[in-house]
Amino acid sequence: MTDSESARMTRILGGLPATARELLLGTDWGSLQHAYGSGDDIPVSLCSLVDDDPEVRSEALAALDMGVLHQGSLYTVTAPAALFVAAILDHPVGLAEHEGHFPWDEGPPRSLRAALLAWLGQVAESAAHGEDPVRDRSTWEWEPWHDETQREQDPDGLAALHACREIRPTLYDAVEPFLSSPDPHVREAAIGAAVPLLLAPGLAERVPHAVTLLKARLALVEGRRERASVARALGVWGVDTSDLLADSDPAVRVCAALGPTQSDRPLALAVLLDALRDPRTTDSWFPEPLPGLDGWFRFTVLCSALTLAEDFEEVAPVAVAIVAAGGASVTDHERGPILLRAFAGGYDPAHPLTPAQRNLLRAFVDSDGATAAIAGNVSWFRAAGLPENREGITALL
């Protein structure tokens, strides 16, 4: 630690909330690890989060992203760092705005509080990964070979994972007050953090109160992003969103249909399929992805439609049209999942192809020359038990 860093810590420590100060001084940071080595340097970064200098704060946030939660990976330093972040959410400096540290950071300046809430949401998402395999397989980023190649984590990785799961009640207690923040950016970030936190098995009893808070906000706001975020949160938590399936805003209707279960399943599926018929418009609804929904929005919509359908025939017309339209750059996020849904359980040569399966494979063959529809999806064809080349697929037809 340099003299200037030591002076910064001394200056900032006295202004920290007692919980944050005790955590900072009572943790053996040198025994912990982040992405680049020992956690000795983390106390300086954590104190720097509330420094008066916006550039120092920005660098400290970058340290959280790069070292404490590198590309979504959890480390032994992550849990205590997250507890510290939760303890400073209501610090006065949280109102200050700053710009992103990296050149690729986009969007307008946001408050420190919104940035910290967003980071806690990312920690919660990483902690939830692998906790519910069914839920993991229902996300657009899942690929069938993930389950086969998943290796047992090293002891430090498992310790980091369990530590981050154990602190979720404390994190949620810190996040919940900001669901009613007067700042819409803070509210959005708080919703983004609350969604994965309340998926924890031990926090189910907190869901009803969160639902009450969000529904109260829903009656007061008109903006698309917030209303859509609320609709998605309610659906993910298993709340009946049937009333929102008839909302005047198509984006809100779709987000209300994203939940894993629907009391009005046919209507929810119809809403999702309608959005997939005009994917460019659907993607344009959220130029900046909603919290927890990375990638093009249509990927999430498609994944939800495939999950909600009772059989492939329900989604076949739209799915075949997507494959026929091509799009080689997104093979794994559209054509692959469609193929696996059409051949759930794998292709069985003893059973003839259904008309819907035949139409789908014909679309792959017809678009293969221009978009490498088959060659670019070999792993998906293999996972579905199908031939892995154009000649083999053509022979089935």
Side-chain angles (χ1 to χ4, degrees), residues 74 79 83 123 127 131 158-172 197 200-203 206:
L74 301 174
L83 288 172
V123 172
E131 195 168 37
L158 284 174
L161 176 63
H162 293 315
C164 287
R165 288 178 176 175
E166 288 174 2
I167 65 172
R168 287 181 292 191
T170 301
L171 298 186
Y172 181 72
L197 285 171
L203 289 178
R206 312 280 188 97

Side-chain angles (χ1 to χ4, degrees), residues 10-24:
T10 301
R11 171 171 51 83
I12 292 174
L13 273 173
L16 290 175
T19 302
R21 184 168 58 252
E22 292 168 4
L23 184 68
L24 197 72

Side-chain angles (χ1 to χ4, degrees), residues 132-286:
D132 184 344
V134 174
R135 186 172 67 224
D136 288 344
R137 286 195 293 271
S138 66
T139 63
W140 67 264
E141 294 175 290
W142 177 82
E143 295 170 328
W145 45 92
H146 281 176
D147 294 342
E148 300 173 4
T149 59
Q150 190 173 25
R151 298 179 180 178
E152 185 176 348
Q153 288 183 285
D154 62 86
D156 282 349
L158 284 174
L161 176 63
H162 293 315
C164 287
R165 288 178 176 175
E166 288 174 2
I167 65 172
R168 287 181 292 191
T170 301
L171 298 186
Y172 181 72
D173 285 342
V175 167
E176 187 185 74
F178 299 102
L179 293 175
S180 303
S181 169
D183 183 336
H185 300 294
V186 169
R187 290 198 303 272
E188 179 179 305
I191 293 172
V195 167
L197 285 171
L198 289 184
L199 291 177
L203 289 178
E205 75 281 358
R206 312 280 188 97
V207 171
H209 186 238
V211 169
T212 299
L213 293 174
L214 294 193
K215 284 190 173 182
R217 292 301 315 171
L218 197 61
L220 299 174
V221 299
E222 297 181 356
R224 164 174 282 175
R225 283 188 66 86
E226 184 165 2
R227 298 186 74 251
S229 293
V230 170
R232 173 181 175 262
L234 297 177
V236 169
W237 293 334
V239 178
D240 183 5
T241 56
S242 298
D243 57 328
L244 294 174
L245 295 175
D247 195 88
S248 60
D249 189 325
V252 175
R253 294 199 298 269
V254 168
C255 284
L258 295 178
T261 58
Q262 289 288 340
S263 59
D264 194 340
R265 189 196 68 84
L267 178 56
L269 182 58
V271 167
L272 296 173
L273 293 178
D274 189 54
L276 291 171
R277 292 186 179 93
D278 187 6
R280 289 191 177 185
T281 296
T282 299
D283 283 337
S284 73
W285 290 337
F286 307 112

